[in-house]
Every structure is written in structure tokens, then in C-alpha cells.
Amino acid sequence: MNEFLDSVEVKLTSTNFVTTGTIDFWSAVVFYQPKVVKTQKSENRLQLDDLTIDELKTFKALRSWRNDLAEKLNWSAFRICHNSHLLEIAKKNPKTFSELENISSFGKARAEKYGDDIILVLNSFKQI
């Protein structure tokens, strides 16, 4: 399953519990498309090694926030935002919603939905 998920870009998932009267089971649907061959731009994507120690701490705090929220919502963490988003947020350290919206592939909808929490996490690392 992991090999398959590594080879595709997941667009949407849906799960349902099915009761037939005699057998109960989970049904899962995954809408996906094959991953695009890496371009020069994707090869330049941020990696953990690109972060400073402080940025890495910020990334880990953002990842912890995201994973906790996903657990509360009973969602996969990537439905909230991908690690690539968290890496770029940690690197750029946005101060405003406008700056947060400009994070690659993050956008206005995610900024409106999760921006307050993200800015709160980022502000928790300010030195006193």
C-alpha cells in the first residue's frame, strides 16, 4: 500500500462503514492521479536538511499541531496540510495571513481555516 501511495498524488479519500446484516466492513475510496515526473522546481523543494535548528523546531511544532488536529477530526494529516507546506511555513515564518496565503500550494482557504492556529504556533517561538 505504501509503495502505491508513494507513486500517486492523492486527490480525495472517502471511507464508509458498511453493514449488510451478516458482515460489517469498511469501504475506502481513493481518488488519485499518477505523480508527475519531477521537474527542476520539484527537485528544489525544501527538505528537513534545509532548515536551521530553530526552523526545525518550528516545523516539529507545526507537525505536532497538525497531527493533533487530524486526530481530533479523525482525518489523515495530509488533509489539513502536507509536510511540504509545514517546511515552507517554518522556513518563511509568515507573520500575516497574506504571507501565509503565499506559501506554495497552501492558499487562501487553508489560511482562513488554519491560519489563527498556525500564527499562534509561530508566535510561540518568539524570543522574549
Side-chain angles (χ1 to χ4, degrees):
M1 178 64 104
N2 287 339
E3 187 176 327
F4 166 75
L5 289 173
D6 287 340
S7 70
V8 299
E9 182 180 343
V10 176
K11 294 296 188 179
L12 179 68
T13 62
S14 176
T15 57
N16 290 302
F17 187 71
V18 179
T19 303
T20 64
T22 55
I23 299 174
D24 298 335
F25 59 93
W26 280 97
S27 170
V29 178
V30 178
F31 295 91
Y32 65 92
Q33 68 183 34
K35 281 191 178 173
V36 178
V37 177
K38 288 187 176 183
T39 63
Q40 185 66 18
K41 181 180 178 187
S42 63
E43 290 174 1
N44 291 332
R45 192 170 289 167
L46 279 173
Q47 303 292 322
L48 283 175
D49 294 342
D50 298 329
L51 301 179
T52 66
I53 292 172
D54 289 339
E55 291 167 348
L56 183 59
K57 288 178 186 177
T58 302
F59 168 77
K60 288 180 179 181
L62 288 166
R63 186 177 58 190
S64 179
W65 158 79
R66 189 238 3 234
N67 292 344
D68 289 347
L69 180 58
E71 188 175 319
K72 283 181 194 173
L73 298 173
N74 199 25
W75 286 0
S76 298
F78 72 86
R79 285 183 67 187
I80 296 169
C81 56
H82 297 271
N83 281 343
S84 61
H85 298 141
L86 300 180
L87 285 166
E88 194 166 343
I89 291 169
K91 189 73 174 169
K92 292 187 175 177
N93 195 20
K95 305 283 189 260
T96 65
F97 285 101
S98 177
E99 291 175 1
L100 191 58
E101 289 173 8
N102 289 326
I103 300 296
S104 178
S105 301
F106 194 76
K108 185 175 182 171
R110 278 194 176 113
E112 288 176 356
K113 199 168 195 176
Y114 308 116
D116 288 335
D117 289 345
I118 291 170
I119 299 295
L120 186 65
V121 171
L122 295 173
N123 286 337
S124 71
F125 284 92
K126 286 185 176 176
Q127 293 185 2
I128 299 173

